[in-house]
Amino acid sequence: MNYEMVIGLETHVELNTKSKIFCSCGGHSSANEPNDCVCPACSGMPGMLPVMNKKVVELAVTAGLMLNCEISRYTTFDKKNYYYPDLPCAYQITQLNHPICTNGVVTLKTSAGKRDIRIKQIHMEEDAGKLVHVGKATCVDFNRTSVPLIEIVTQPDFRSAEEVLTYLNKLKSMFRSGGISECEEGAMRCDVNISVRPEGSTEFGVRTEIKNMASFEAIEKAIRFEVQRHIDAIEFETEELVQETRRYDDATGKTFAMRNKETEADYRYFPDANLMPIIIDDEWLEQIKAAVPEEVDAKVDTYKEAGISEKEVDMLIANHNASKLLDEVVSLGCGAKNVAGWILTDAVSILRKNGKLLGDLDISAEDLAAIIKLVDDGEINRVSGRKILAAVIEEGVDPIAYCKDNKLDEKVDTTVIEEIMDKVLIENAQALEDYRNGKVKAKQALFGACMRALKNTADTDIIKELLERKIDN
Ligand code: ADP
Ligand code: MG
Ligand code: ZN
């Protein structure tokens, strides 16, 4: 008999906020040493009260809008009670009764065509701490306690591992472009619910839940193993399937039972009276909506149509600020492909020289557009343009003033250029002779010497042309 797999996902994503969800400690990844990002509130001292971080609500709503959800105008928090040493209050603040987003849908492009995955809900909650094993001791690190999470729960709509991975990759690029989360390794964790049923059947089989999977590769392997285990259990009666929570072991590629599935009653949920209900009014919702980026697929298409390379498109999609900057510079009248080059090649190399990354780029669209226009209009050459760009990025100077002050836009008379070049050729007589004797590489040395002598004030193309005229005759 042929079987069909049925999968539903619960995905936890750490939000990209400056502070934790209910206190002012630094948010995700701001900690260096264990417990250096902890205060009385997030370490569960008696009498401390939670204070809601507004940004968390905005990011959760943004995620909901991107996943076509209904946004709850009235949303509340509940306490989920359980005891574990990484949970200092012995309860987790989460949302049970009125989650912030419900009933969404995300469309996937897979090898089997378009597939709709329904989103049951998105809720906000706090993360737990971490247990660290040091020799024989077990230590607890509360840095991650109260880091904000959203949990995205799908309906059991996946029918293959490919669909699951396509969905996760789509969430990842959406959340990055929406400034919701960087989704680095460990910042996106899934509980994978799996069952199988005979092809054609409309009833669901017994499901098991594989907890806390952080690597996409492991998720794929775990699904394959677990689906086969279910099929064997049904087909060959190798074991009895029970609804339970399991753990995947990457070393053996197998899943192991952890505990029987806990039910809602096990957690003694009750409303958290320390947190007021949150009301999302029209004005606030409109404000959040206005900042939601274009749907990723549409954006990718727009960029590709503009001639931006696939690699550059990937960089842009992974970096919301860069793509926002590009869009703004384009709206100021520059070509998208050209702008992509300035941001992803020129700016990136300047940043790298300073030990920084694309995410650190801080330049206004107006300044970048001004530099690009100077070059495009032939006022300065590209080398000068890059020099101005470096000064703007590194020192925050005004590009036009910098260009004038450094006389980068002064046209050099070609007779003057030629005089200087003649001198350069005399000084580099050996290289010139080598070139004329057939050593093609020597041309580059001569060109470099001319560029240096002209201090980048003349246009690269002019220097090239004049040099070729001189040395080839
Ligand atoms: P619970 O409240 O017991 O955790 P939910 O209804 O919230 O159950 O479902 C949790 C996850 O399990 C959801 O992502 C859902 O899609 C998935 N799920 C539910 N039933 C099945 C099933 N029979 N097979 C696979 N996944 C399932
Ligand atoms: Mg659940
Ligand atoms: Zn704190």
Side-chain angles (χ1 to χ4, degrees):
M1 197 187 297
N2 283 332
Y3 288 88
E4 173 179 68
M5 63 175 93
V6 172
I7 297 176
L9 292 186
E10 296 160 278
T11 309
H12 297 87
V13 176
E14 279 183 6
L15 299 179
N16 199 359
T17 53
K18 290 205 179 72
S19 52
K20 291 185 175 182
I21 182 167
F22 301 123
C23 64
S24 57
C25 291
H28 163 73
S29 77
S30 51
N32 297 311
E33 297 293 319
N35 294 308
D36 70 352
C37 204
V38 168
C39 74
C42 60
S43 57
M45 294 297 150
M48 299 306 296
L49 292 172
V51 178
M52 184 69 210
N53 179 344
K54 188 175 174 194
K55 185 77 183 170
V56 173
V57 180
E58 298 181 342
L59 294 181
V61 170
T62 304
L65 292 169
M66 295 183 96
L67 296 174
N68 306 299
C69 291
E70 291 164 24
I71 308 300
S72 308
R73 301 310 193 89
Y74 174 90
T75 187
T76 58
F77 286 96
D78 301 280
K79 289 181 176 177
K80 177 179 181 179
N81 298 280
Y82 65 93
Y83 175 77
Y84 201 66
D86 67 6
L87 190 74
C89 291
Y91 60 80
Q92 178 195 28
I93 304 179
T94 178
Q95 299 196 281
L96 177 74
N97 294 317
H98 300 282
I100 187 152
C101 311
T102 55
N103 297 326
V105 63
V106 49
T107 305
L108 307 179
K109 282 186 201 157
T110 69
S111 57
K114 283 197 171 176
R115 290 269 298 126
D116 278 350
I117 305 297
R118 290 167 303 154
I119 305 296
K120 183 178 169 191
Q121 69 177 60
I122 302 177
H123 55 263
M124 302 177 278
E125 61 187 26
E126 56 179 344
D127 209 342
K130 266 183 193 165
L131 294 185
V132 186
H133 304 282
V134 186
K136 281 185 181 168
T138 296
C139 305
V140 59
D141 178 2
F142 288 139
N143 282 340
R144 203 178 64 181
T145 316
S146 271
V147 163
L149 300 176
I150 50 173
E151 178 175 343
I152 304 109
V153 184
T154 75
Q155 297 289 359
D157 286 347
F158 299 96
R159 296 293 177 267
S160 68
E162 183 205 348
E163 288 176 5
V164 169
L165 294 189
T166 306
Y167 165 83
L168 290 173
N169 277 310
K170 183 157 183 175
L171 279 197
K172 202 165 160 179
S173 46
M174 265 187 185
F175 288 173
R176 282 183 175 169
S177 79
I180 294 166
S181 174
E182 286 310 312
C183 298
E184 315 93 321
E185 182 91 38
M188 196 174 181
R189 307 188 295 270
C190 282
D191 301 339
V192 186
N193 297 271
I194 299 181
S195 64
V196 304
R197 63 183 176 187
E199 228 162 55
S201 157
T202 51
E203 262 158 54
F204 287 138
V206 173
R207 81 166 131 131
T208 52
E209 175 174 9
I210 310 171
K211 275 277 180 207
N212 217 10
M213 306 277 300
S215 122
F216 289 9
E217 206 186 334
I219 289 173
E220 190 171 11
K221 287 192 213 152
I223 291 174
R224 298 208 190 291
F225 174 86
E226 189 65 7
V227 165
Q228 196 55 50
R229 191 180 73 83
H230 281 231
I231 294 174
D232 290 346
I234 299 168
E235 191 92 315
F236 308 113
E237 295 179 8
T238 47
E239 58 185 313
E240 192 193 348
L241 284 179
V242 288
Q243 187 173 342
E244 65 187 358
T245 302
R246 297 177 72 85
R247 153 182 86 75
Y248 173 72
D249 177 47
D250 208 19
T252 55
K254 294 179 177 175
T255 65
F256 296 92
M258 272 169 78
R259 54 180 188 250
N260 289 340
K261 171 85 185 142
E262 51 297 282
T263 63
E264 220 166 274
D266 293 330
Y267 290 117
R268 307 285 188 275
Y269 279 96
F270 59 87
D272 189 335
N274 294 328
L275 285 158
M276 297 289 283
I278 298 166
I279 311 286
I280 300 169
D281 61 16
D282 290 350
E283 196 188 338
W284 194 13
L285 184 59
E286 284 313 312
Q287 234 173 314
I288 301 170
K289 256 186 199 162
V292 174
E294 192 185 344
E295 164 83 272
V296 177
D297 290 346
K299 206 171 192 114
V300 167
D301 291 345
T302 315
Y303 286 161
K304 283 193 180 154
E305 274 161 28
I308 299 175
S309 75
E310 202 149 315
K311 191 172 151 242
E312 288 178 326
V313 172
D314 286 348
M315 287 170 80
L316 289 167
I317 294 302
N319 195 299
H320 178 51
N321 285 336
S323 74
K324 196 166 140 227
L325 177 65
L326 181 135
D327 294 345
E328 284 168 10
V329 176
V330 168
S331 76
L332 292 172
C334 301
K337 188 174 149 94
N338 187 17
V339 181
W342 278 97
I343 298 176
L344 302 174
T345 306
D346 299 282
V348 164
S349 82
I350 293 163
L351 288 165
R352 215 170 271 155
K353 240 182 251 160
N354 292 288
K356 292 183 175 165
L357 298 169
L358 181 54
D360 302 315
L361 180 59
D362 186 17
I363 182 172
S364 73
E366 289 73 20
D367 283 356
L368 182 55
I371 298 170
I372 295 175
K373 279 181 184 160
L374 283 173
V375 176
D376 287 355
D377 295 347
E379 295 293 325
I380 58 172
N381 62 33
R382 181 127 189 159
V383 178
S384 301
R386 203 172 298 149
K387 207 163 160 183
I388 301 175
L389 181 65
V392 173
I393 292 176
E394 290 163 358
E395 297 151 46
V397 300
D398 175 74
I400 304 286
Y402 182 87
C403 177
K404 292 247 143 42
D405 293 349
N406 291 278
K407 303 193 169 51
L408 296 174
D409 58 344
E410 274 182 15
K411 290 277 184 301
V412 185
D413 188 346
T414 55
T415 54
V416 179
I417 296 180
E418 287 195 66
E419 266 169 35
I420 296 175
M421 284 174 77
D422 287 338
K423 252 192 347 221
V424 170
L425 290 178
I426 292 166
E427 282 161 14
N428 293 275
Q430 188 59 50
L432 180 59
E433 200 185 321
D434 289 347
Y435 176 71
R436 289 195 167 140
N437 288 332
K439 199 175 155 200
V440 189
K441 266 193 188 160
K443 181 170 156 185
Q444 200 52 40
L446 292 169
F447 178 68
C450 289
M451 287 291 286
R452 277 193 298 280
L454 289 157
K455 296 205 178 65
N456 303 334
T457 44
D459 193 288
T460 319
D461 295 333
I462 295 177
I463 295 180
K464 211 175 240 166
E465 195 190 315
L466 290 175
L467 179 67
E468 277 170 6
R469 212 184 296 158
K470 282 182 193 297
I471 63 180
D472 288 332
N473 290 321

